[in-house]
Amino acid sequence: MATTAASRYTQLQSEREPFLTRARQSAKLTIPSLMPPDGHNGTSKLYTPFQGVGARGVNNLSAKLLLSLLPPNTPFFRLQIDDFVLERLAQREGARGEVEKALNKVERSVMTEIETNASRTSVGEALKQLIVAGNVLLYLMPAGGVRVFNLDRYVVLRDPDGNVLEVVVKESVSPTALPEAVLKSLPKQQTKKSDSAHRSLDLYTHIIRTTNGWEIHQEIQGIEVAGTRGTYPLDKSPWLPLRWSKIDGESYGRGYVEDHIGDLRSLEALTKAIVQGSAAAAKVLFFVNPNGTTSIKAVSESESGDVRSGSKDDVSVLQLEKFADFQIAFRTIEMIEQRLSLAFLLNSAIQRNGERVTAEEIRTMASELEDTLGGVYSILSQEFQLRYVTSLMHDMERRKLLPPLPKELLKPSITTGMEALGRGHDLNKLDGLIAGIQQAFGAEQVARFLNIGEYIKRRGTALGIDMAGLVLSDEEQAQANQTAQLQMMLEKLGPKGMDILRDQLKPTGDEQGAPQAAA
């Protein structure tokens, strides 16, 4: 008997369970709605953390990653073609400029598609899932856009090298949303009209890797849905199972929150104790000596400023007397918050406490913090960015939004992430070089020995700016200098000098007669 998608999903659930449990624990201390408990629905109440550092850190880190992986109005990839292949195709030199111009047009078309189909919002949500749960599944929809599947809605199987072998996705659909042909193929008791609006059916999508590509089909109640079977090339599948970290031999990754779960648990417990203790300390309770002269009724019914007979020694107020203990807990909370702020790249952790903090110090600390995510950039550039742009271009070609491109000659390369970090270091080194020379020898020596044009080009490259046509060439600079010198000379000579210069530039009599003689 053939294995159904539902049974395969059940078989692979056991391997996913420990990762799903840790993901829910991480979400509970950060953003509980990202991975709610099993059986959660719209009426269920989620746990409310006593601290907000975890949620603020997840939102901040996901925003930074989103700007790095999908920078707005800037292509995060380039289509590259080999120089020798280019010359052989064009049969002439200088063809790279024309080809690069055409490829840049394709790059802009792909970026326009990303900006217009609201993919950025879905990718931002997927990054939050990666940070908290360590795993997420993306689906590039045929009509454009991206769907996000949390870890509790799919299972995945990888080989020891990390290559995806199989993915099974579980969705709940209403019978009213299914085509009539699909409804007719299902058992009658599953499609009763009386309760179809309130019932849901489990739809399984099964993606299997083959030797040459991917095979996909969908099932409901063990019956294959007609018209859903298809194939995709090996590098162009619209299903992208992502993970935060790569661990050999495991099909799932670990989340970034899991690396700091100890600090989050300690902060949660201490903050809870401080909040509850502060509430108890804020409670005002008066005690009246029953054997004293002061009346309990006089104390309870008196307004502020009233005059009553009695003794102040008969009345006392309940005090918690835990100030010293609260101070220890509060200092521990501050220490843990500082560590978590550094881990999640919060701006408040970059600047130290002090009266004078230089901008260079802040830049250096920020650069060190960004370097800690180098490994994350590497895995996301390969498993997300590269596969995302390849699958998106394939889908755009299918929808006639891009012309067919020679796949064996063109290769997309990622220009953000690790490469962007490298360009940032180049920029810091350039600025450090200029600042060092100026401090040691003065600004005059910088102007004397520095090639300003070359520095501008390198700085623009480090910033990721297209410098083509932006900086004047040597010929254009020479012409501009000559024009400026002529203008200055004319201004110095004045009107009379200009007449003398005009007379000197007039042709002589011989020069005037030469054409006539020749005629």
Side-chain angles (χ1 to χ4, degrees), residues 330-437:
F330 186 73
R331 285 195 293 269
T332 306
I333 286 176
E334 287 184 328
M335 178 184 65
I336 295 176
E337 285 184 347
Q338 181 69 13
R339 291 203 301 255
L340 289 173
S341 298
L342 288 171
F344 287 101
L345 308 183
L346 294 174
N347 294 332
S348 59
I350 296 178
Q351 182 173 342
R352 63 174 173 82
N353 294 326
E355 295 181 358
R356 301 183 63 184
V357 182
T358 63
E360 181 61 28
E361 181 180 358
I362 293 179
R363 283 196 299 268
T364 302
M365 295 183 67
S367 178
E368 292 176 356
L369 293 175
E370 293 288 353
D371 289 347
T372 62
L373 296 177
V376 179
Y377 285 138
S378 299
I379 189 171
L380 289 181
S381 64
Q382 294 300 316
E383 293 193 357
F384 168 60
Q385 288 179 299
L386 189 59
R387 293 185 57 193
Y388 175 55
V389 73
T390 303
S391 301
L392 183 59
M393 290 177 60
H394 174 71
D395 183 64
M396 292 179 66
E397 290 181 13
R398 180 186 59 82
R399 291 186 285 154
K400 309 298 182 182
L401 298 178
L402 282 181
L405 301 174
K407 309 300 185 300
E408 65 280 0
L409 302 179
L410 291 176
K411 295 182 179 180
S413 63
I414 304 303
T415 58
T416 58
M418 284 299 294
E419 186 170 339
L421 289 179
R423 290 201 303 265
H425 286 313
D426 291 342
L427 179 62
N428 292 334
K429 291 178 182 178
L430 282 172
D431 292 342
L433 173 65
I434 301 301
I437 297 176

Side-chain angles (χ1 to χ4, degrees), residues 49-70:
F50 282 84
Q51 46 77 33
V53 177
R56 189 157 55 97
V58 170
N59 289 326
N60 179 76
L61 188 56
S62 63
K64 289 181 180 293
L65 286 172
L66 182 61
L67 287 176
S68 177
L69 298 175
L70 294 181

